[in-house]
Amino acid sequence: MTTPTPDVLSEAEQGRCQEFFPTTANSIQNNIIHHLMSFQGRDPERSGASDIYKALAFTMRDIMVEKWIKTQKTYYAKEKKRVYYLSLEFLIGRSLSNAIINLGLWDEVKQAVEGLGYSLGEISEQEEDAALGNGGLGRLAACFMDSIATLKIPAYGYGIRYEYGLFNQQLINGYQVESPDNWLRYGTPWEFERRVPVFCVQFYGKVTTYQDEKGCFRTKWIDTEDVMAMPCDMLVPGYKNDHVINMRFWAARASRELDLTHFGEGDYIGAVQHKVSSETISKVLYPPDHNYAGQELRLKQQYFFVCATFQDIMRRYKKKNAMFDDFNDQVAVQLNDTHPAIAIPELMRLLLDVEGLNWEKAWDVCTKTFAYTNHTLMPEALERWSVDLMGKVLPRHLQIIYEINQRFLDQVAQQYPGDIDKLRRMSIIEEGYPKMVRMAHLAVIGSHSVNGVAALHTQLLKERTFKDFHALYPDRFNSKTNGITPRRWLLTANPELAGLINSRIGTGWEVDLEELRTLEPLADDPEFREAFWQVKLNNKKRLTDYIQLTTGVEVIPETMFDVQVKRIHEYKRQLLNALHVIYLYQKFVSEPDLELPPRTVIFAGKAAPSYWRAKLIIKLINAIAEVVNHDPRIGDRLRVVFLPNYNVSQAELIIPAADLSEQISTAGTEASGTGNMKFALNGALTIGTLDGANIEIREEVGEENIFIFGLNAEEAAFERIRNSRTPEQICRDNPEVAEVMEALADGSFAQGDRNLFKPLVDSLMSPHDQYLLIRDFESYLACQQRVNEAFLDQQCWLRMAVLNVARMGKFSTDRTIRQYANEIWGIPV
Ligand SMILES: *Cc1c(COP(=O)(O)O)cnc(C)c1O
């Protein structure tokens, strides 16, 4: 619907132009042209889509920065309490469409871009994803920023400006091959590199004591190696509310003093080497997900960003305050997992060594300032640093950690006299060779709030991971079920569905997702169902084209799109899904007349580069696809695709096209999941276990509108010990399971090579398989059969899908953030 751009501004437009920046199609177009010429040096008539993308991004940034300045002024004016959200990861994805939508300028920008001869779609495609995170944890941080801005909470995100984000994944011969994500190659129009404030971060060195002018013994950290932290800001606009917040990402820069010493000594090469090694700190994102690696550079990244962040917090605090007694009335710090937990001894160091508070006062302020979010129950994912490493890199912090621990253990010993084992279990220091610092214990002890990210997860934290701590501090533990932002995951990603919803119930759901509930009656309206189906089909056609383009596989949009997209990990059980694909394949071959709905099974996800088992699972899925997709006996009834390089923008394309959402982790392993929420909000039905937020999704949508199978968390824990049915027994009892395992073992998917997938066969058949795949396989097969039957009854399926959308109100991050603000941060919203 392009209306011709008027040459003369209407009065209404002139009125609006009194704001400094453009808000009409005409003025946006002029601004794009201005940016093209003045800043990019391009001839507007000869510039391409990538030039227009950049110029448009700068135009949106201009609008945001004006609003951001106004927003910041209101904070200072009202001396509001500020929230600092500290996260090593922000999985942002693309920013352009989201910015345009949140600024409420979609129609105007569309018109402006079309006037220049482009579609907004092709312009948006020019943007590279900002992948400064691995998966769910980083994406949660990005969704939180959107909701914080939308709810006008005075908050900042703090993180690292990685020069290389999450690696790119290619598939070569079915194997994952990683390549660097050089996302800043052409710069990014979204960041503001700032020259001030730049902060100095110390490492290594030693600790000395001295007497201050009042005769008190004080501690100093000296002879350190220093690195500078330079801020880069990215702006986050709230949804149509003129509120803009910022995420501040630190980039490492060599310190000038050291550069000069080297140069002074005539050591040019040394100076350059120093520069390179300093700047390594913010070079690359660590790719492990739910798996802790323990490398010195990672610890340095953590401290680098925490130290710079706290200098910035203190700078801002000191503008209005001289005393630290009520620091925690002005500052709340949320730790996204233990990755930034070194902030606890850092704040103690600042309060003790720099500001001169006594221990008791400093500790009181500290615990009232921090709140810690736990993201995992898996022991191998809990961060522990060797005492030796900590003592080398951060000697003063190790001293402080020992002091915190000593005082804490004294308190425990008083409460539980004679219980030596409890002291050993609860200590921040794990005795052994080598001795380790348990960051999760530090985070629990140093915070006034410890939260899990779904109800089950929080319950398991209290009962298992932090049982002793829960007994000691019962009030400290609370639950904050994760969410997703409906602006990105429905409004931006699925504009057709958003449009359909708007046409029936209006737009209130965009900021109050509970309003979707008024869609419920429409689940029984044949006309609405038909329109809903048409939207889904269009989304499936878009994905079909993308699949053809990226993998060469032809799929049929009318088939059931059965989707599992997430990081590849044993606990997420992509292998269980793969076993079901083998089962279906065998069924289609052996019983060609069976009435089963045709399926397109879609996988995507990255494996940590060092996680060879996860990489072998990727190879297996591709090997199965190779066999299935080329077997003429199958016809069009089954296709398998593995889409390479899963990221946020691919998720935005895949999720709106899904019919079935696979959320099949072993119960008690997935803390929450957020992919599960994105799918249900876009009208996919879930097949899943009673794990993480799946449980709460079932509560909301009703058990008749979700497909649940398998052991629950309690049964799974029990089964690991009792082992009532071993994989071997199950294969003996169930020939269908045996047949699937046989095909996996006999090399059917490896050109006869029986060795290739042997490690996977062995773990599946092991009586000690902690993820219980074979134990849940029969239940999964039976559940998939229920899915088949439901899908064959299209009207029934559509009804369920509409009800899923209508009942997803709880899973907005607007709700999650309100709870954090009210219940943890002390900011009533
Ligand atoms: C939402 C999201 C995730 C998290 O998915 P889960 O299924 O909850 O593990 C990971 N990666 C990307 C790109 C996402 O958008």
Side-chain angles (χ1 to χ4, degrees):
M1 219 186 57
T2 328
T3 47
T5 314
D7 292 326
V8 186
L9 295 180
S10 69
E11 271 177 30
E13 282 174 325
Q14 282 176 5
R16 275 203 273 167
C17 281
Q18 277 160 18
E19 290 242 306
F20 198 67
F21 286 113
T23 51
T24 65
N26 197 16
S27 58
I28 287 168
Q29 202 180 72
N30 289 339
N31 217 265
I32 292 172
I33 291 167
H34 173 66
H35 270 288
L36 276 175
M37 293 197 296
S38 301
F39 298 105
Q40 289 153 247
R42 304 290 300 180
D43 173 356
E45 282 172 13
R46 312 179 109 235
S47 50
S50 67
D51 302 309
I52 304 282
Y53 155 69
K54 224 172 162 179
L56 176 56
F58 279 126
T59 302
M60 294 301 109
R61 197 183 72 164
D62 287 344
I63 299 172
M64 290 197 287
V65 79
E66 188 187 10
K67 296 181 194 292
W68 176 76
I69 289 167
K70 284 183 188 158
T71 302
Q72 291 299 310
K73 279 186 183 150
T74 64
Y75 295 172
Y76 281 105
K78 293 179 189 164
E79 291 186 39
K80 283 186 176 169
K81 180 170 185 177
R82 289 171 163 82
V83 180
Y84 295 90
Y85 192 82
L86 270 56
S87 179
L88 263 281
E89 302 191 13
F90 287 85
L91 188 50
I92 298 165
R94 288 179 177 148
S95 293
L96 182 62
S97 306
N98 196 245
I100 298 170
I101 285 180
N102 278 19
L103 292 170
L105 293 172
W106 187 261
D107 294 336
E108 291 81 352
V109 170
K110 186 168 180 288
Q111 200 184 324
V113 168
E114 285 171 0
L116 293 167
Y118 292 88
S119 78
L120 196 38
E122 65 182 314
I123 298 301
S124 306
E125 287 290 310
Q126 299 299 315
E127 183 170 1
E128 287 221 45
D129 272 42
L132 311 184
N134 275 290
L137 174 149
R139 184 55 234 175
L140 183 76
C143 283
F144 275 9
M145 289 299 116
D146 184 86
S147 284
I148 282 170
T150 296
L151 293 170
K152 298 192 172 190
I153 293 170
Y156 305 81
Y158 274 89
I160 293 178
R161 177 186 178 273
Y162 301 108
E163 213 171 306
Y164 293 85
L166 184 58
F167 64 86
N168 282 312
Q169 177 197 56
Q170 277 176 286
L171 295 173
I172 296 182
N173 190 24
Y175 288 101
Q176 166 174 302
V177 175
E178 304 92 18
S179 59
D181 167 46
N182 191 1
W183 73 294
L184 293 170
R185 190 173 32 219
Y186 307 113
T188 166
W190 300 110
E191 75 176 5
F192 283 101
E193 267 192 43
R194 298 187 185 277
R195 301 291 148 179
V196 281
V198 173
F199 296 117
C200 179
V201 179
Q202 301 172 278
F203 293 100
Y204 309 106
K206 61 184 187 200
V207 178
T208 61
T209 49
Y210 67 100
Q211 271 187 305
D212 67 12
E213 58 279 12
K214 291 179 198 148
C216 297
F217 281 98
R218 306 260 302 246
T219 304
K220 228 175 16 185
W221 181 16
I222 58 167
D223 297 344
T224 53
E225 289 178 25
D226 300 346
V227 176
M228 304 309 289
M230 187 184 88
C232 289
D233 288 349
M234 280 170 81
L235 303 184
V236 182
Y239 185 61
K240 295 184 178 172
N241 67 355
D242 290 336
H243 199 88
V244 174
I245 64 168
N246 69 295
M247 299 180 284
R248 180 155 282 187
F249 297 123
W250 299 104
R253 293 287 176 261
S255 67
R256 253 158 63 85
E257 283 105 276
L258 260 168
D259 271 351
L260 293 176
T261 28
H262 281 287
F263 279 117
E265 291 158 8
D267 182 7
Y268 169 72
I269 298 296
V272 175
Q273 266 172 356
H274 163 73
K275 183 172 159 63
V276 170
S277 85
S278 299
E279 297 183 358
T280 307
I281 290 182
S282 59
K283 193 64 82 182
V284 55
L285 168 78
Y286 271 86
D289 186 55
H290 294 286
N291 190 340
Y292 162 70
Q295 302 202 26
E296 179 165 339
L297 184 63
R298 168 76 169 182
L299 178 62
K300 288 177 74 174
Q301 284 188 339
Q302 295 183 348
Y303 181 64
F304 166 75
F305 125 81
V306 158
C307 177
T309 299
F310 265 84
Q311 291 185 63
D312 210 22
I313 293 173
M314 290 300 194
R315 172 188 66 82
R316 212 171 272 132
Y317 180 78
K318 286 179 178 177
K319 284 188 192 177
K320 298 274 175 150
N321 304 273
M323 304 288 287
F324 285 86
D325 297 59
D326 57 359
F327 184 72
N328 50 279
D329 293 337
Q330 293 289 306
V331 177
V333 177
Q334 191 70 39
L335 305 173
N336 196 20
D337 214 302
T338 57
H339 313 152
I342 196 70
I344 292 166
E346 174 65 2
L347 179 57
M348 286 300 286
R349 185 183 73 85
L350 293 172
L351 295 176
L352 297 167
D353 299 353
V354 181
E355 306 301 339
L357 272 66
N358 66 35
W359 183 280
E360 286 73 20
K361 185 64 219 170
W363 185 245
D364 183 54
V365 166
C366 194
T367 53
K368 285 177 175 159
T369 300
F370 288 108
Y372 156 54
T373 304
N374 173 282
H375 285 271
T376 180
L377 297 155
M378 278 180 299
E380 67 268 30
L382 296 177
E383 286 190 302
R384 291 144 67 248
W385 294 105
S386 89
V387 165
D388 286 346
L389 179 65
M390 185 76 81
K392 184 179 82 163
V393 179
L394 301 169
R396 178 61 180 140
H397 296 78
L398 182 61
Q399 279 185 345
I400 291 171
I401 289 169
Y402 269 117
E403 180 73 25
I404 293 170
N405 198 39
Q406 188 56 57
R407 288 166 183 256
F408 171 70
L409 292 179
D410 287 348
Q411 184 197 332
V412 176
Q414 217 169 37
Q415 199 122 342
Y416 306 94
D419 196 342
I420 302 294
D421 201 52
K422 194 181 266 287
L423 293 178
R424 182 189 57 75
R425 289 197 308 268
M426 297 183 82
S427 174
I428 298 173
I429 306 298
E430 184 179 281
E431 297 295 335
Y433 305 96
K435 273 207 272 192
M436 306 293 275
V437 182
R438 295 160 165 159
M439 297 306 277
H441 291 201
L442 176 63
V444 172
I445 294 164
S447 303
H448 68 280
S449 163
V450 178
N451 76 281
V453 289
L456 172 68
H457 172 229
T458 306
Q459 182 200 329
L460 296 176
L461 284 182
K462 292 179 187 175
E463 291 173 358
R464 301 182 191 171
T465 319
F466 298 131
K467 189 165 187 274
D468 293 313
F469 291 97
H470 179 242
L472 186 64
Y473 306 125
D475 300 338
R476 203 167 281 198
F477 289 81
N478 64 90
S479 187
K480 297 285 170 279
T481 299
N482 281 166
I484 55 174
T485 167
R487 272 75 65 185
R488 182 175 290 263
W489 294 109
L490 182 49
L491 198 52
T492 311
N494 199 345
E496 277 201 55
L497 181 57
L500 175 64
I501 294 170
N502 289 344
S503 73
R504 301 304 176 101
I505 66 167
T507 59
W509 62 271
E510 294 164 355
V511 288
D512 179 8
L513 202 61
E514 291 286 353
E515 282 198 18
L516 287 180
R517 215 171 269 279
T518 52
L519 284 172
E520 273 187 19
L522 295 171
D524 293 313
D525 173 349
E527 216 177 294
F528 185 79
R529 283 187 198 166
E530 170 63 25
F532 187 91
W533 182 80
Q534 194 60 53
V535 168
K536 183 63 83 181
L537 188 63
N538 290 344
N539 292 334
K540 289 165 81 172
K541 284 178 178 160
R542 269 198 302 161
L543 181 56
T544 298
D545 294 342
Y546 178 81
I547 291 171
Q548 167 78 52
L549 198 72
T550 50
T551 68
V553 179
E554 265 184 57
V555 305
I556 298 174
E558 287 75 12
T559 58
M560 182 203 303
F561 279 20
D562 171 355
V563 184
Q564 187 172 23
V565 293
K566 48 181 78 245
R567 285 297 286 257
I568 310 293
H569 203 293
E570 287 166 284
Y571 86 82
K572 292 178 182 279
R573 300 202 294 193
Q574 281 92 355
L575 192 47
L576 183 61
N577 188 349
L579 294 181
H580 174 246
V581 174
I582 297 175
Y583 168 87
L584 278 182
Y585 174 59
Q586 293 175 338
K587 265 269 178 276
F588 282 131
V589 171
S590 64
E591 296 176 55
D593 298 326
L594 209 62
E595 203 198 333
L596 288 178
R599 287 202 195 211
T600 301
V601 185
I602 298 166
F603 293 88
K606 294 173 182 176
S610 59
Y611 191 177
W612 66 269
R613 228 174 231 293
K615 293 172 115 173
L616 191 56
I617 293 170
I618 294 176
K619 172 63 182 171
L620 173 64
I621 293 166
N622 283 305
I624 295 170
E626 193 60 29
V627 170
V628 169
N629 297 346
H630 292 106
D631 190 327
R633 294 172 295 178
I634 293 300
D636 289 335
R637 304 176 74 188
L638 184 61
R639 286 289 177 276
V640 184
V641 290
F642 192 108
L643 289 170
N645 207 35
Y646 184 56
N647 59 17
V648 171
S649 36
Q650 198 185 76
E652 290 173 18
L653 180 66
I654 296 173
I655 290 168
D659 293 306
L660 185 65
S661 156
E662 299 268 356
Q663 307 298 337
I664 60 178
S665 53
T666 314
T669 63
E670 185 76 90
S672 164
T674 50
N676 46 5
M677 302 166 187
K678 299 169 195 167
F679 280 99
L681 182 62
N682 282 279
L685 299 187
T686 304
I687 181 167
T689 47
L690 288 175
D691 200 16
N694 295 353
I695 294 174
E696 289 156 80
I697 292 175
R698 181 182 68 160
E699 272 168 26
E700 295 298 306
V701 304
E703 60 185 346
E704 66 286 6
N705 297 310
I706 188 168
F707 300 96
I708 297 292
F709 72 95
L711 301 171
N712 66 26
E714 201 179 348
E715 292 163 345
F718 194 50
E719 197 62 17
R720 281 192 194 98
I721 301 159
R722 187 182 60 167
N723 223 336
S724 69
R725 294 180 72 216
T726 63
E728 203 180 318
Q729 282 171 319
I730 293 167
C731 282
R732 239 182 287 132
D733 296 346
N734 187 332
E736 289 186 325
V737 176
E739 206 185 329
V740 169
M741 288 310 297
E742 184 53 30
L744 193 52
D746 72 7
S748 296
F749 302 103
Q751 289 152 338
D753 180 352
R754 303 176 69 99
N755 284 322
L756 182 57
F757 298 120
K758 190 165 183 301
L760 301 181
V761 175
D762 290 347
S763 66
L764 285 167
M765 293 308 293
S766 163
H768 308 296
D769 169 24
Q770 56 169 323
Y771 302 113
L772 303 163
L773 276 80
I774 299 300
R775 188 67 183 71
D776 268 349
F777 189 34
E778 291 168 300
S779 168
Y780 183 53
L781 288 178
C783 194
Q784 286 285 16
Q785 187 48 36
R786 288 192 279 131
V787 170
N788 283 332
E789 285 154 20
F791 195 75
L792 287 174
D793 183 348
Q794 197 194 40
Q795 289 306 311
C796 164
W797 185 276
L798 284 170
R799 183 173 187 281
M800 293 165 74
V802 173
L803 287 177
N804 266 259
V805 177
R807 296 174 179 176
M808 288 303 291
K810 172 172 176 182
F811 302 102
S812 169
T813 35
D814 296 345
R815 185 270 311 153
T816 313
I817 286 297
R818 266 198 197 91
Q819 290 181 330
Y820 275 90
N822 288 321
E823 297 164 23
I824 300 178
W825 301 335
I827 297 178
V829 189

